[in-house]
Amino acid sequence: MPPRAEVCQPSVHGLYRRQFLGTLGWGLGAAVGNLNCLTGLCSDARAGEVLRRDRRAIILYLGGGASQLETWDPKPGRLTGGPFAAIPTSVPGLHVSELLPRLARRMHRLAVVRSVDNSDIGADHHGTGMHLGRRPEQAVRFPSLAEICAKELALADTAAPRHVELQMTDTFRFETEFGLSFFGSRFSPLLLSGGKRAVHLDRLPEVEELDHADREALRSYLSRRFEQSRAADEAEAYSRTHARVRDVMSCADLLDVERCDAADLERYGPTPLARHCLLARRLIEAGVGVVKVRDTWWDTHADNFEGQRIKCANLDHALSHLIDDLADRGLWEHTLLIVLSEFGRTPQISASLGRNHWPKAWSVVMGGCGIQGGAVYGKTNADGTEIAEGRVVPADLFATYFRALQIDLHADYYVGDRPIPLVDDGGRPIEALLT
Amino acid sequence: MTAAFDPQKLRRTATARHACGLFAAAYDPVSQRVVAGGVDGRLVAWDPARWAEPPVAFHWQHRSYVYAVAALPAQQQVVSAGYDRRLVWWDPLSGSPLREAELPARPQQLAVAPDGRTLAVVDDDRTLRLFDAATGAPTASYADHPQYTPKMHLSTVYAVAYSPDGRWLATGDRCGSIVVRAADSGTVVRRLHAPRFYGDFSRKPDGQPNDGEYELGGVRMLAFSPDGSLVVAGGMGDYNPNSAGTDGKMGLTGFDTATGEERFSVLLAKDQGYLQTAQFHASGLLVAAGGGGTGGDTGVGALCVLDPARPDAPTTHSLEMTVRSVLLLPDERGAVVVGMHKKAAEGQLEHWQTADAAAEPSADAAAEPSADG
């Protein structure tokens, strides 16, 4: 079994066709194998339902841990509050940090959960728990939120990838540590690193277009002959893999942020986060089911205020444009936007002016389809050290996401005979946030 | 009786604590007090001969952290700059505010021209703004530093300093760039670069290219030598690319003001964090301090005395605190370092004097401020 890292090696910022083919072939084969033990995978009826729903997701992951006190739950005037003021927003009575002035004017589109507690997930797995909606297990590799969205939301008969992840090259990915989920690689992301074009998607320059087509015709002919004599799932998977790769190759321009409209590039600006947000919009427009934008280096154990100030400036700019664009294009009502981290940051400020990891009382933001814009759920105490009301755990967030996306949150997957509920036991949707 | 300043004989002679972290301080010759401000937005003033006595608290004014404080001897006033985007002028004897000026961005540092007429402020909008020190009226602004760092983060101008003769005005930014301009005309006369104070981690520890987003750095302090021939920048170098904090070594780089040539560049091997603050002694020795890096709650800083003629042999003293400001008291009464205590969210001031002047025992104090003014 090849390691997960072979799907894309961030260190070379490229997608090697041979590796990609091989991994997809293996992954699809694995997925086909899993079909025997998984229920509810992409039946025709279900695909039709997906098409009718037309819902997509963008997950913006602020890796390292954005400070809730410098973003969505400011505590000005308290010793834990830091130097930044709170500013009013487009929602009467709702204040956010002054570091987010543009987003403040768009809070009527977003809902804030100020009482997230993922401390039960375990100290080493806070981030993983936010991706999985539950505590990870050694025996079963659970699929991530993005993989579930890819499976449940992906449009049928589209050349666009189901699931794209835009990551920085220095990003930590828990998936690399944990390996493939029980979905296999079928719903794993197409990884694009560093805001750069996946150069290895291109046809090799020494292979003419005609030669390329001839090769594909020969491969297709041989495959058909093979399938006629041996009706094996693996043979079918092989052909589907090639078809998928052709699809992805045909989308190479779609995956290239430089091909975006020049005015859009100018408007979003040059930061990696902004370019990834622009590309996310473009991918969602093209029918990609889920895009995860994985930002990095919010981990401000020292010099927190300077670090968060700079990161927030980028976030404020990029996310505001993304929200506006989705709304202007009529995509907002069809797209769930989730902004989360692996945890928040400590209310206590260390001697090195840092804030450390804080999973006990922090904030997640969402908006778009199925979400009541301007809603606020939960509350922390005056210093932000405890949840005062409305404790929310990752399973509750998953239930809320799925309800917003019209995914059956009571459904189960099966691994062998073991049912794996989409939402971990006890998870309840936050009704106050849902339309 | 005072002794000549001797870095080898520096000893801590007194420590004072404050209820909240302190970010900035200045010695005010009018009140003869050390005026400091920090987390709670309030200025407090200590008599450096009586650290055990409670400090005098100024009236409340700032609505956020105080990031910079300076004395204005010509006006017999003190000025403070807060993260609430305000400059406030004070009567240091009564602790009363006299006037204030709005700033368009959050200030990082301020410097007073040697003739006392102009106040220079740098901010997180990458702009140098000049104000009439007497009236608070803005007189000029300059935006010569780039908007973005090489990693495409918004940059910041952190440091500002006048040369002692008032001829030059220098500013330093997040990328390690320094702009030296003629103070009277504002004309840029030199652009210097201290690359070790910007870490873009373009190579991974294994030597592979890394075009990830992480970066760290900045020129956090600037100071001119007494004769103006040398401009010294401070920051942090030798970064640990696996760190999520300020896990690098404090460093100093000196440039020839006239030619722009780098004269020296040194790292303080044991001391982590940014070198935040420095002041030249009349003898030409540089007294610098900073630290508190490594993330978490470490908060261990250092006081360093460096002879620019022998920059590879600095004298350093480890401090149980994160240092944000150092100031030299007149009449060889030593140095005061100001910042946060290592273990608690408390302010701390330490008075360091040469041994001959420090015959009295340590006078540690932790007194609450007295009533306003």
Side-chain angles (χ1 to χ4, degrees):
Chain A
M1 188 176 289
R4 178 67 188 83
E6 287 187 14
V7 172
C8 178
Q9 297 189 348
S11 62
V12 294
H13 322 306
L15 187 66
Y16 288 97
R17 182 186 294 119
R18 195 173 297 274
Q19 286 178 344
F20 182 60
L21 262 168
T23 310
L24 262 186
W26 162 79
L28 194 52
V32 169
N34 283 340
L35 271 170
N36 298 326
C37 62
L38 301 179
T39 60
L41 271 175
C42 286
S43 65
D44 289 345
R46 191 147 193 170
E49 185 189 338
V50 168
L51 283 170
R52 282 195 303 280
R53 284 202 309 251
D54 190 19
R55 302 225 159 183
R56 297 150 197 171
I58 296 176
I59 302 166
L60 175 50
Y61 184 71
L62 308 179
S67 169
Q68 70 282 6
L69 295 141
E70 273 71 60
T71 52
W72 316 110
D73 193 12
K75 303 290 182 185
R78 310 295 295 191
L79 285 180
T80 55
F84 303 113
I87 55 174
T89 69
S90 57
V91 179
L94 174 61
H95 289 68
V96 297
S97 168
E98 66 170 319
L99 298 180
L100 304 174
R102 294 179 180 87
L103 288 170
R105 297 194 291 274
R106 292 159 177 85
M107 288 308 292
H108 60 284
R109 295 198 178 278
L110 299 172
V112 185
V113 183
R114 282 175 163 166
S115 50
V116 177
D117 178 1
N118 61 332
S119 56
D120 288 347
I121 293 289
D124 294 334
H125 302 303
H126 290 134
T128 309
M130 293 303 291
H131 287 292
L132 302 182
R134 66 188 89 213
R135 179 189 280 269
E137 291 181 14
Q138 284 297 322
V140 178
R141 302 298 190 201
F142 299 113
S144 69
L145 169 65
E147 287 176 289
I148 294 171
C149 289
K151 185 178 101 58
E152 302 293 342
L153 302 179
L155 298 178
D157 302 324
T158 174
R162 297 179 174 88
H163 176 189
V164 178
E165 181 170 321
L166 309 172
Q167 64 157 1
M168 306 301 175
T169 50
D170 49 3
T171 299
F172 169 78
R173 295 186 75 249
F174 83 93
E175 295 93 334
T176 306
E177 299 284 311
F178 271 68
L180 287 171
S181 75
F182 61 69
F183 283 174
S185 65
R186 186 169 186 179
F187 302 106
S188 295
L190 173 64
L191 280 172
L192 299 180
S193 288
K196 295 193 172 175
R197 176 177 164 74
V199 292
H200 300 292
L201 275 180
D202 293 335
R203 176 169 46 79
L204 291 173
E206 60 269 28
V207 179
E208 298 292 334
E209 179 66 45
L210 191 59
D211 290 343
H212 192 66
D214 284 349
R215 290 180 188 192
E216 172 54 22
L218 176 61
R219 190 210 60 77
S220 181
Y221 168 73
L222 294 172
S223 289
R224 278 199 306 274
R225 281 188 53 183
F226 186 86
E227 288 168 19
Q228 283 166 4
S229 59
R230 301 172 185 80
D233 287 343
E234 286 77 4
E236 184 188 349
Y238 180 76
S239 290
R240 286 172 58 185
T241 298
H242 271 273
R244 197 79 196 124
V245 171
R246 283 197 307 277
D247 287 345
V248 173
M249 288 178 71
S250 72
C251 292
D253 284 353
L254 172 67
L255 302 170
D256 183 359
V257 72
E258 297 294 345
R259 300 296 182 109
C260 290
D261 182 77
D264 282 345
L265 285 167
E266 173 74 18
R267 196 161 48 91
Y268 274 75
T271 69
L273 176 62
R275 291 165 75 87
H276 281 168
C277 284
L278 172 57
L279 190 51
R281 186 210 81 194
R282 186 172 149 97
L283 292 168
I284 289 292
E285 281 181 297
V288 173
V290 55
V291 181
K292 184 187 281 184
V293 176
R294 201 186 280 257
D295 195 35
T296 57
W297 295 110
W298 288 81
D299 202 12
T300 46
H301 290 283
D303 216 12
N304 169 77
F305 304 116
E306 190 60 7
Q308 296 281 326
R309 181 179 70 77
I310 289 168
K311 296 297 292 180
C312 282
N314 289 350
L315 174 69
D316 188 50
H317 179 84
L319 187 55
S320 295
H321 280 303
L322 177 60
I323 291 169
D324 289 352
D325 283 3
L326 292 173
D328 291 346
R329 287 161 168 75
L331 292 166
W332 185 247
E333 290 75 19
H334 299 276
T335 308
L336 176 65
L337 172 69
I338 304 166
V339 184
L340 77 166
S341 295
E342 56 265 67
F343 32 61
R345 306 213 72 83
T346 49
Q348 292 77 20
I349 300 162
S350 73
S352 51
L353 294 180
R355 294 190 193 270
N356 299 321
H357 301 168
W358 186 247
K360 282 180 64 179
W362 59 287
S363 302
V364 165
V365 163
M366 60 190 88
C369 70
I371 298 298
Q372 184 71 52
V376 180
Y377 185 82
K379 190 175 173 184
T380 50
N381 64 8
D383 286 325
T385 54
E386 302 284 347
I387 292 173
E389 59 185 60
R391 180 175 179 264
V392 166
V393 299
D396 299 325
L397 292 170
F398 268 50
T400 308
Y401 305 149
F402 294 154
R403 177 67 62 78
L405 290 166
Q406 298 180 354
I407 294 171
D408 181 1
L409 56 96
H410 301 297
D412 291 327
Y413 300 128
Y414 279 86
V415 174
D417 293 331
R418 179 182 169 181
I420 307 290
L422 265 72
V423 174
D424 200 23
D425 290 344
R428 301 278 183 275
I430 307 168
E431 299 290 349
L433 301 187
L434 295 162
T435 53
Chain B
M1 191 67 184
T2 58
F5 187 78
D6 184 345
Q8 301 294 339
K9 295 182 179 178
L10 272 180
R11 300 288 183 270
R12 180 174 51 234
T13 57
T15 301
R17 293 276 184 86
H18 187 52
C20 66
L22 296 169
F23 274 58
Y27 178 75
D28 170 48
V30 176
S31 62
Q32 299 188 2
R33 291 172 179 155
V34 172
V35 181
V39 167
D40 68 358
R42 189 180 217 186
L43 296 190
V44 279
W46 281 264
D47 181 342
R50 297 178 179 84
W51 290 106
E53 292 185 4
V56 175
F58 285 26
H59 295 276
W60 291 103
Q61 196 68 18
H62 286 289
R63 292 189 287 267
S64 183
Y65 290 12
V66 173
Y67 255 58
V69 177
L72 299 169
Q75 289 80 26
Q76 300 200 333
Q77 293 169 9
V78 165
V79 63
S80 58
Y83 244 36
D84 56 359
R85 298 185 177 89
R86 287 193 298 169
L87 291 172
V88 181
W89 279 256
W90 303 87
D91 175 354
L93 296 175
S94 69
S96 299
L98 300 171
R99 77 186 66 82
E100 66 177 63
E102 295 287 332
L103 293 167
R106 285 175 286 267
Q108 292 288 340
Q109 281 186 15
L110 57 81
V112 180
D115 65 6
R117 292 180 178 174
T118 305
L119 187 63
V121 181
V122 288
D123 61 32
D124 60 15
D125 199 24
R126 301 161 296 280
T127 304
L128 165 66
R129 300 177 203 281
L130 303 183
F131 295 82
D132 184 310
T135 67
T139 57
S141 67
Y142 305 97
D144 301 294
H145 291 267
Q147 183 177 7
Y148 291 106
T149 67
K151 290 288 186 185
M152 293 300 164
H153 286 114
L154 289 171
S155 187
T156 298
V157 178
Y158 291 115
V160 60
Y162 275 100
S163 63
D165 61 3
R167 189 176 173 195
W168 312 118
L169 178 55
T171 51
D173 69 20
R174 185 173 176 84
C175 311
S177 296
I178 300 153
V179 173
V180 181
R181 68 182 68 246
D184 54 357
S185 67
T187 305
V188 175
V189 295
R190 209 161 308 288
R191 290 182 184 274
L192 311 173
H193 195 52
R196 89 178 329 160
F197 297 146
Y198 175 70
D200 67 359
F201 306 105
S202 56
R203 293 278 166 187
K204 294 180 177 178
D206 61 5
Q208 293 297 309
N210 174 26
D211 58 1
E213 198 194 1
Y214 191 37
E215 65 167 18
L216 211 58
V219 170
R220 304 297 178 112
M221 152 262 136
L222 286 166
F224 284 89
S225 60
D227 64 2
S229 66
L230 190 70
V231 58
V232 177
M236 182 169 67
D238 198 11
Y239 302 87
N240 176 0
N242 296 316
S243 164
T246 49
D247 195 358
K249 296 183 177 72
M250 292 197 292
L252 290 161
T253 299
F255 299 91
D256 187 301
T257 309
T259 66
E261 286 180 28
E262 183 179 300
R263 290 262 204 91
F264 63 84
S265 189
V266 294
L267 295 174
L268 307 181
K270 293 180 183 175
D271 302 297
Q272 293 180 311
Y274 289 105
L275 201 143
Q276 291 276 4
T277 171
Q279 193 173 342
F280 270 98
H281 185 262
S283 63
L285 295 173
L286 181 69
V287 181
T294 324
D297 301 314
T298 307
V300 175
L303 174 65
C304 161
V305 183
L306 178 137
D307 180 352
R310 299 178 57 241
D312 53 347
T315 302
T316 59
H317 303 273
S318 185
L319 305 173
E320 301 283 290
M321 60 186 291
T322 298
V323 183
R324 301 289 298 194
S325 185
V326 67
L327 50 98
L328 292 170
L329 300 178
D331 305 323
E332 303 293 0
R333 286 187 287 156
V336 176
V337 290
V338 178
M340 271 77 63
H341 180 252
K342 156 185 177 180
K343 291 289 183 190
E346 291 181 345
Q348 180 154 315
L349 303 92
E350 293 189 356
H351 192 173
W352 287 70
Q353 295 175 272
T354 55
D356 293 345
E360 68 271 28
S362 175
D364 286 6
E368 289 298 308
S370 62
D372 290 356

